[in-house]
Amino acid sequence: MKMHFEMKSDGQLMSERGLNTGGRVQRFIDQECIRLMDPYTPRRQGNLIKAATLGTKIGSGVIVQAAPQARYLYYGKLMVSKETGSAFASHGESKVLANPEKDLEYYDGANPKAGKLWFERMKEDHKESILAGARKLAAGGHR
């Protein structure tokens, strides 16, 4: 008895399920993370959430919030001028952590959940729903 079978490559199988880089599953995850981060992201004019939408290549698996204040607000620690100790610094002047360290206070009128480490906090609250949606897409469903 002679048997013959063909098997698809790992790459073909991954691509068919939308699990390849830039595939529908990764695009879904990126879009959901940006959407679900919104209520956790500090906002005055909404620049940070806009920065995530504009700075991220959907499907890359990397969310980029390309705004000058993003890192400062994300970690939520007061930074001050080396020269004056003021929270305001001259253009080009470096800042250091305040001594003693002090957490930033976030205005929460527009976003009651706003605060530091917004991606991590969003993930804590929504990880399972994001993964459930990704599993559904990978299994051939639509979202």
Side-chain angles (χ1 to χ4, degrees):
M1 171 157 78
K2 190 174 184 183
M3 292 178 57
H4 175 78
F5 69 94
E6 290 184 30
M7 192 166 165
K8 295 178 182 178
S9 71
D10 291 350
Q12 284 177 302
L13 292 171
M14 298 286 280
S15 182
E16 286 175 5
R17 294 289 184 175
L19 295 169
N20 53 320
T21 303
R24 68 181 180 272
V25 173
Q26 187 61 61
R27 288 192 314 268
F28 166 79
I29 292 170
D30 292 356
Q31 290 168 332
E32 278 295 276
C33 286
I34 291 170
R35 182 180 72 80
L36 293 169
M37 276 187 339
D38 188 329
Y40 299 83
T41 305
R43 90 172 49 225
R44 288 235 170 128
Q45 292 88 24
N47 292 344
L48 278 175
I49 202 64
K50 288 176 193 169
T53 302
L54 296 172
T56 300
K57 181 175 189 263
I58 300 296
S60 69
V62 178
I63 294 173
V64 177
Q65 288 181 290
Q69 73 277 27
R71 182 182 179 123
Y72 176 65
L73 291 173
Y74 188 78
Y75 291 105
K77 297 290 182 187
L78 179 63
M79 304 283 290
V80 296
S81 163
K82 280 190 208 180
E83 308 300 318
T84 66
S86 168
F88 298 97
S90 300
H91 180 71
E93 183 181 356
S94 296
K95 286 183 159 186
V96 295
L97 283 172
N99 190 3
E101 278 191 23
K102 182 176 181 200
D103 288 336
L104 295 178
E105 293 178 20
Y106 296 87
Y107 169 72
D108 61 3
N111 278 357
K113 294 180 180 180
K116 67 181 182 178
L117 303 173
W118 53 84
F119 176 78
E120 296 301 324
R121 292 182 304 108
M122 174 282 298
K123 192 170 63 173
E124 181 73 27
D125 291 348
H126 298 285
K127 177 181 168 183
E128 290 309 315
S129 69
I130 295 168
L131 291 175
R135 280 191 293 273
K136 183 177 176 183
L137 276 175
H142 300 285
R143 177 93 178 152

